Amino acid sequence: MSKPLILISNDDGVQAKGICSLIDGVREFGDILVVAPDGPRSGMSGAITSTIPIKASLLKKEEGLTIYSCTGTPVDCVKLAMNQLTDRKPDLVISGINHGSNMAICVHYSGTVGAAIEGCIFGVPSIAVSVTDHSPDADFGETVRLLRQVVPVVLKEGLPAGTYLNMNVPNIPEVKGIKVKQQAAGKWINEYMCSENALGHPVYWLTGDFCNSDPENPENDTTALDNGYASLVPCKIDVTDYNYLDTLNNLFS
C-alpha cells in the first residue's frame, strides 16, 4: 500500500522557517507534496487569483518529497495542487506553521486558515497550525511536537465532512498540552496608524489590538493559550445560523 499523501501549504512563503519545520516534523507520516506561495501572503483569507495566470515552479523532487513554489495565494496553491500537481487525492492537508497566531476572529482573515478551508472544501481532512510568535526565526519545536500528536489521529480517524481544525500553540519553552476549545469572541480595535508619505499625504498602516469580549471564558482558545496550552478548535465550512432559521422564516412568511 502507498503511504498517505500529505499536502502542505502556508501563507508566509515556501522558504519560511515555519513550513520547513513542518515538513521535517511530519515527513515520517507520509509522502509530502508542498505547494506554497513564492513569498509572504498573510491576510489573504480565501482570496483567489482570477484575472492573471499563476505559475508553479518545481523546487525539489526526491523520494517522498516534492516542493513547488507558486505565484498565487494560499488558496490558489491548494487548488492548483488538487487540480494539476498530483494524480491522487491527498489524505491530509496541513497549512502552516504560521509565524503568528490565528486564534479567535483571525480565522476570517488568515491565509493559513484559508488554505486549510480550501482543503476541507475538497473533502480532505485539513489542519491550520500557528505559533504565537511573528519573528522569522521563531522556535517551532513545541509546535511540531504537539502537531505530531494530532496528525496520526486525523490520518486514522479523519474529520467530519465540512469540518477542519485550527491549532494554535503558545510561544513558551514547554507547552502543557493540547486543549480542545471554541473560537473566542472579540475583534480588533485601533486598527490603523496614520502617518505621511514623502509628499505629505496621509497613509495608513494596519496595526491594532485584540479586544477579547469574554476573556474569562475557560472554553476560549485564547484562554487556553494564556494558560500555557495549545488550542485545537474544530471549525465548519457551513456558516448558516441554524438557530435563527425559524425566526427568519417567520419574519418573511
Side-chain angles (χ1 to χ4, degrees):
M1 294 180 63
S2 61
K3 293 181 179 179
L5 177 61
I6 301 174
L7 172 60
I8 288 177
S9 193
N10 74 343
D11 74 357
D12 291 311
V14 69
Q15 302 293 345
K17 182 180 178 182
I19 198 170
C20 296
S21 299
L22 172 59
I23 294 166
D24 291 342
V26 303
R27 191 167 178 180
E28 72 174 83
F29 296 112
D31 294 328
I32 306 296
L33 171 61
V34 179
V35 187
D38 57 4
R41 301 287 194 278
S42 294
M44 285 288 181
S45 185
I48 56 175
T49 303
S50 60
T51 57
I52 59 173
I54 58 175
K55 177 182 175 182
S57 301
L58 180 63
L59 301 183
K60 178 183 286 190
K61 188 172 180 64
E62 60 186 45
E63 183 68 28
L65 175 63
T66 303
I67 301 177
Y68 286 93
S69 171
C70 176
T71 59
T73 68
V75 170
D76 288 332
C77 292
V78 175
K79 283 184 176 292
L80 189 63
M82 297 288 191
N83 283 282
Q84 295 289 329
L85 301 180
T86 180
D87 58 2
R88 64 181 171 122
K89 185 177 180 180
D91 298 278
L92 179 65
V93 171
I94 309 177
S95 183
I97 300 168
N98 191 63
H99 295 245
S101 66
N102 280 308
M103 58 189 180
I105 202 170
C106 291
V107 296
H108 295 287
Y109 305 127
S110 166
T112 302
V113 177
I117 289 173
E118 192 64 25
C120 184
I121 290 171
F122 273 91
V124 178
S126 299
I127 307 168
V129 57
S130 309
V131 65
T132 60
D133 185 345
H134 287 89
S135 64
D137 196 37
D139 185 350
F140 295 95
E142 283 294 273
T143 305
V144 169
R145 178 180 70 84
L146 294 168
L147 182 62
R148 284 168 55 84
Q149 298 176 24
V150 176
V151 167
V153 174
V154 175
L155 282 172
K156 179 181 178 182
E157 302 293 336
L159 292 171
T163 295
Y164 64 95
L165 300 180
N166 182 34
M167 182 176 183
N168 282 277
V169 182
N171 177 33
I172 56 176
E174 295 184 11
V175 181
K176 296 177 182 177
I178 300 171
K179 293 285 189 180
V180 176
K181 295 295 181 181
Q182 64 191 31
Q183 179 184 322
K187 59 179 292 185
W188 289 89
I189 59 174
N190 305 318
E191 292 185 88
Y192 288 93
M193 178 181 68
C194 181
S195 63
E196 292 184 350
N197 63 13
L199 298 176
H201 299 154
V203 293
Y204 302 91
W205 295 90
L206 185 65
T207 177
D209 304 297
F210 181 73
C211 179
N212 190 343
S213 61
D214 192 11
E216 302 304 320
N217 186 344
E219 298 306 315
N220 282 350
D221 54 1
T222 53
T223 305
L225 293 165
D226 290 342
N227 285 281
Y229 290 91
S231 63
L232 191 63
V233 179
C235 306
K236 293 185 68 66
I237 300 297
D238 185 352
V239 296
T240 306
D241 185 346
Y242 289 98
N243 292 327
Y244 189 56
L245 277 176
D246 289 341
T247 300
L248 192 62
N249 270 319
N250 290 334
L251 290 173
F252 289 94
S253 60

